[in-house]
Amino acid sequence: VCNEITAIYKSICEEIGKLAEKIKVQKNVRCEEIRSVAKSDKLYELLKEIRHGKEFSLKELIQIAQEGKVRYECLIPPGYKDEKEKEKEKKKTNDGIRKYGDLIIWKEILRYAKENHKSIIFVSDDIKEDWVVKEMGENEGDPRSELLREFAEEVGWTFWKYTLAQMIEKMKVYFSGSEIT
């Protein structure tokens, strides 16, 4: 019985060794694929070319926070759904402006679009109701009408918001037949 157990043990060890070698080979293949993609990542190159706007001054941030207080009390998007979570963080970090992060991003989007006379497609996986419609039958997942209206009034152009998955699907349709699909 002891010899049988020893033989089974050796056989298992040999199989584990073979499996470990296969895993090592596959890991090396995948690492090389990642390195290869990183060298010619067209999306990354495109993102590097995107111009970035200037930061808000402290005075501007204070004005946004003051506006945010009113907007959040009236449930005017974006960002009011983050208020409680960010309020907890504030106690840890002493950063009272953090809860207005979504509103700051929104104001940056508005400013950039206005300065550059452009429509905007905003890609974010934030799908809380302070960014997108959540009611069934009311174009669920579309940007909130308040955001679309504010953008049109402030900028005079159009705004839309997609999650990354939605954007990839739109790109597949738009670029059908290209390398993206």
Side-chain angles (χ1 to χ4, degrees), residues 110-132:
L110 290 170
R111 179 169 69 180
Y112 179 86
K114 196 174 206 175
E115 288 175 356
N116 294 282
H117 309 285
K118 295 197 182 261
S119 294
I120 297 290
I121 295 174
F122 178 50
V123 180
S124 167
D125 282 339
D126 189 339
I127 55 167
K128 291 188 291 299
E129 72 181 45
D130 58 346
W131 279 105
V132 298

Side-chain angles (χ1 to χ4, degrees), residues 59-71:
K59 183 178 179 181
E60 290 170 317
L61 288 172
I62 290 169
Q63 289 171 339
I64 292 169
Q66 289 170 336
E67 179 184 340
K69 186 174 183 182
V70 173
R71 287 177 78 123

Side-chain angles (χ1 to χ4, degrees), residues 29-43:
V29 167
R30 298 295 173 242
C31 286
E32 186 53 41
E33 285 176 1
I34 291 168
R35 281 190 286 277
S36 173
V37 167
K39 288 178 186 173
S40 63
D41 188 340
K42 292 179 183 178
L43 183 58

Side-chain angles (χ1 to χ4, degrees), residues 38-61:
K39 288 178 186 173
S40 63
D41 188 340
K42 292 179 183 178
L43 183 58
Y44 177 71
E45 292 302 318
L46 177 67
L47 290 174
K48 284 191 337 188
E49 292 177 18
I50 293 175
R51 291 178 285 155
H52 300 280
K54 61 181 180 181
E55 290 184 26
F56 285 117
S57 68
L58 180 59
K59 183 178 179 181
E60 290 170 317
L61 288 172

